[in-house]
Amino acid sequence: MRASPRQPTHRARRRLLMALGAAALVLPGLVAAQGAWPSKPVRIVVPFAPGGTTDILARVLAPELSKALGQPFVVDNRGGAGGNIGAEIVAKSAGDGHTLLMGTVGTHGINKSLYASLPYDPQKDFAPITLVAGVPNVMVMNSKRAQELGIQSVPDFVRYAKAHPGQLNMASSGNGTSIHLAGELFKARTGIFMTHIPYRGSGPALKDLIGGQMDVMFDNLPSAMPHIRSGSLKAFAVTSAVRSDSMPELPTVAEAGALPGFEASSWFGLLAPVGTPPEIVNRLQQETSKALNLPAVKERLLSLGAIPGGDTPPAFARQIDAEIDKWAAVVKASGAKVD
């Protein structure tokens, strides 16, 4: 005859029921906490110094994402090495959606061909989120310097540079940026020589250009436009294939310099470390797209000469692949290299 199993005492049953009740209260909270995103401030790493277009776009977007997602989105400027320092920081961060990169055509299109080695892989180490904006570059010179030298157009500039090789300094936001490569391509196509001076971002480069320490720059239009309008900088041409709607009076470099096919534009986009959950990537893309379509944000970007993006992660990934191939050809044609 089998013995009956021992029944728990009243006190033991009570303890068991209390424990189960406590677990029922705690577990949903734990599950919610584990699934909540964002659960803390989100960092947007800008791989250049403050004041340039990358920084401007991040600071326009950050407050809108903060409002939409309920946590602060904080811009963290980590300039240096043509954007590679900031890109590496994000590539090596946890893929939990709390560290993002405002990537550029430099970090994710140019640098793979320009640098002998990169501390990150622009295709394998990131989860593309969305294109934020595309912008033309603009060839600008210190207005006083341009007047002193009698330079009022692209042909004037080329004539002076050929007559005075190495006497003009070309500022850029860093080695490998589209600002740098646009200048290198211009040098290669016109046969002139200028001394390239790389900075840690457009902000400090523009400061020295306006101050007269630099002569020329192929800056992104959004960061240069206020200084063009104020008269501090003289604009000669945009580097895009077509004229900019924001400054339609400016010719393209191809038009102004009789350089058919000349084109070296910029773009900027949000990326996360590889391994970031798809649901977070998709949510970021959706909220970014919504923000870019807000009338105030759209008007702000268009006034700066930027064309808002907002495409899907797969579309942005395809753009990055295509841009790497495109800029490899530009780097080869220009002869530019960075060790």
Side-chain angles (χ1 to χ4, degrees):
M1 183 176 180
R2 192 182 348 183
S4 300
R6 179 178 296 178
Q7 298 296 317
T9 64
H10 175 74
R11 183 175 294 177
R13 283 198 303 271
R14 186 180 178 189
R15 283 199 299 266
L16 178 61
L17 289 172
M18 289 177 66
L20 290 173
L25 291 173
V26 171
L27 284 175
L30 288 174
V31 171
Q34 289 172 354
W37 175 87
S39 60
K40 59 183 179 180
V42 177
R43 178 172 61 149
I44 302 178
V45 174
V46 169
F48 298 99
T53 299
T54 321
D55 183 66
I56 292 170
L57 292 175
R59 293 182 188 278
V60 168
L61 186 60
E64 303 303 331
L65 292 178
S66 297
K67 286 186 282 188
L69 293 166
Q71 286 283 354
F73 277 65
V74 182
V75 175
D76 182 10
N77 296 88
R78 297 297 186 96
N84 292 342
I85 291 174
E88 181 185 11
I89 288 171
V90 177
K92 294 180 178 177
S93 295
D96 59 6
H98 292 98
T99 302
L100 309 175
L101 176 72
M102 183 62 81
T104 71
V105 64
T107 60
H108 282 75
I110 297 172
N111 289 1
K112 189 170 184 177
S113 298
L114 187 72
Y115 285 79
S117 63
L118 284 181
Y120 63 92
D121 188 303
Q123 292 161 297
K124 295 179 181 178
D125 292 341
F126 293 89
I129 297 170
T130 190
L131 177 73
V132 172
V135 304
N137 290 8
V138 59
M139 183 181 180
V140 289
M141 193 171 180
N142 178 286
S143 292
K144 291 181 180 178
R145 180 83 165 138
Q147 188 172 9
E148 289 171 1
L149 300 179
I151 299 175
Q152 296 299 309
S153 66
V154 173
D156 286 347
F157 186 92
V158 173
R159 280 193 295 269
Y160 184 91
K162 284 186 174 180
H164 303 84
Q167 292 187 24
L168 293 175
N169 292 323
M170 181 184 79
S172 83
S173 54
N175 287 316
T177 61
S178 70
I179 295 169
H180 171 209
L181 262 291
E184 293 293 343
L185 187 60
F186 185 81
K187 287 162 60 177
R189 292 290 302 275
T190 59
I192 65 173
F193 173 70
M194 298 182 286
T195 303
H196 173 225
I197 309 295
Y199 286 76
R200 293 172 70 89
S202 282
L206 281 170
K207 183 179 178 181
D208 278 2
L209 183 65
I210 293 166
Q213 287 78 42
M214 292 289 110
D215 297 307
V216 67
M217 187 173 174
F218 291 78
D219 193 32
N220 303 140
L221 185 55
S223 48
M225 188 179 288
H227 307 294
I228 296 169
R229 287 177 171 160
S230 73
S232 299
L233 297 179
K234 171 70 176 176
F236 298 137
V238 291
T239 65
S240 47
V242 297
R243 296 192 182 203
S244 168
D245 290 340
S246 300
M247 302 193 82
E249 70 279 8
L250 287 180
T252 66
V253 169
E255 292 171 338
L259 299 170
F262 188 101
E263 194 269 329
S265 297
S266 299
W267 53 261
F268 307 82
L270 272 184
L271 302 105
V274 69
T276 301
E279 57 269 25
I280 293 178
V281 170
N282 291 331
R283 181 76 189 281
L284 279 164
Q285 183 274 326
Q286 292 162 8
E287 297 301 340
T288 300
S289 181
K290 289 178 187 176
L292 293 173
N293 280 288
L294 291 172
V297 173
K298 199 168 188 176
E299 183 179 347
R300 166 73 169 145
L301 295 187
L302 291 174
S303 72
L304 292 170
I307 301 170
D311 57 356
T312 64
F316 187 32
R318 288 193 296 271
Q319 179 176 347
I320 290 171
D321 292 342
E323 287 287 292
I324 287 173
D325 292 340
K326 168 193 166 181
W327 285 100
V330 174
V331 169
K332 184 177 180 180
S334 71
K337 277 291 178 185
V338 179
D339 293 327

